[in-house]
Amino acid sequence: MSDIREVAGVVLPDYPEPLWIQAVNLIRGEIEKRVLKAGMRLPPERELCQQLGISRVTLRKALGRLVEEGVLNASHGRGWYVAQAGAKKEWPNSLESFSETAARMGLTPRSEVLQAEASPATIDEAESLGIAPGAPLFRLERVRLLEGVPIALDLTRIPLALVPDIDKVDFGTHSLYSTLSEAGVEPMRADSTIEATKAGDRAAEHLRVAPGDPILVMHQLAVNADEDPLFASTIQYAGDRYRLRTSFARS
């Protein structure tokens, strides 16, 4: 493993973003540009503080955030290293489950289940899913993690009639898509809308970000081959942990 002598850039005290967030962005930028490469050791903290013009407390907050994101690794007594998977992973523009995405990336997925119960569908939910208002709707809310880092807060609503025994499944370990497939329910397409917003208190707590930090919200409606609605999802992604690449063509 080799060292890097300098991190380019400097933190600006009068800039709107907090100092530690500026430091996070500077270091992450050097990693994404491959100035800092996988396995490389960062300069000692004292040198980093001088280079960036920040205090050690501010620097350690920034480095801690990068460790949480899986960008850096901390080695006790030896310093800070760029993780082997330091660059931000890209997400597919094809329909696949969180578990399938994790497997393709070579990462370990985990889910923390916050809610898994049935309750009556609201008028808006019933309209989007093509069911009667008040019909039983299974609500599954999970924190989705990769390598222990929270990536998204995912709330999915499924008509209970599609999978009557779904409330007996442990979604801490089971994949939703696999569960649906076993019940003969096959999503073929998901119409999605993504928008940028600010993290509320609840999302911030579960995504380990500060309230007001930028997040991306994806609204999805999955349908089968006959265009029948199957489930609706609202997924809140930590803004610095999600990137979707797509393409546009002229008709």
Side-chain angles (χ1 to χ4, degrees):
M1 295 183 181
S2 58
D3 298 350
I4 187 74
R5 298 194 175 190
E6 186 172 356
V7 173
V10 66
V11 168
L12 303 174
D14 297 330
Y15 202 68
E17 289 184 327
L19 300 182
W20 70 274
I21 292 181
Q22 292 184 58
V24 166
N25 292 335
L26 281 170
I27 296 171
R28 190 193 296 115
E30 297 293 274
I31 293 170
E32 292 181 349
K33 290 184 292 186
R34 298 187 62 77
V35 175
L36 294 170
K37 299 180 181 178
M40 190 171 282
R41 181 159 62 95
L42 270 63
E45 290 184 8
R46 182 164 54 86
E47 292 182 23
L48 273 175
C49 289
Q50 292 174 348
Q51 291 170 14
L52 298 174
I54 57 177
S55 69
R56 182 163 289 189
V57 171
T58 300
L59 175 67
R60 286 188 172 175
K61 185 173 182 179
L63 296 175
R65 167 61 67 85
L66 291 168
V67 169
E68 286 183 3
E69 294 177 7
V71 173
L72 295 180
N73 290 325
S75 178
H76 182 67
R78 297 183 61 193
W80 305 82
Y81 290 84
V82 180
Q84 294 298 323
K88 196 187 298 182
K89 297 289 186 178
E90 292 192 351
W91 294 70
N93 57 2
S94 57
L95 183 59
E96 65 182 26
S97 72
F98 187 84
S99 300
E100 290 167 343
T101 300
R104 180 174 53 78
M105 291 178 173
L107 301 174
T108 303
R110 183 166 65 85
S111 294
E112 296 176 357
V113 178
L114 305 179
Q115 180 185 15
E117 59 187 16
S119 60
T122 66
I123 293 176
D124 289 341
E125 290 170 336
E127 183 178 355
S128 65
L129 290 167
I131 59 177
L137 203 60
F138 181 72
R139 302 175 193 276
L140 176 62
E141 186 176 30
R142 296 166 289 175
V143 181
R144 315 307 300 272
L145 304 96
L146 291 176
E147 301 294 339
V149 178
I151 303 297
L153 181 61
D154 181 346
L155 173 61
T156 298
R157 284 90 66 197
I158 308 166
L160 192 61
L162 285 179
V163 191
D165 295 329
I166 196 171
D167 56 348
K168 298 182 174 63
V169 178
D170 178 8
F171 285 104
T173 56
H174 284 70
S175 163
L176 173 61
Y177 275 51
S178 296
T179 301
L180 293 175
S181 181
E182 291 168 4
V185 178
E186 297 288 351
M188 298 301 293
R189 192 188 80 247
D191 295 325
S192 307
T193 302
I194 302 176
E195 59 184 340
T197 186
K198 296 179 180 180
D201 291 342
R202 190 167 185 275
E205 176 187 355
H206 291 298
L207 293 175
R208 299 180 203 164
V209 299
D213 275 3
I215 61 172
L216 292 172
V217 181
M218 177 185 288
H219 301 281
Q220 280 192 333
L221 180 66
V223 300
N224 63 15
D226 295 324
E227 299 291 314
D228 300 320
L230 299 179
F231 60 84
S233 295
T234 302
I235 311 171
Q236 301 180 73
Y237 292 96
D240 54 0
R241 299 169 208 166
Y242 180 88
R243 177 191 287 159
L244 175 68
R245 184 180 296 276
T246 188
S247 59
F248 299 93
R250 290 175 64 86
S251 58

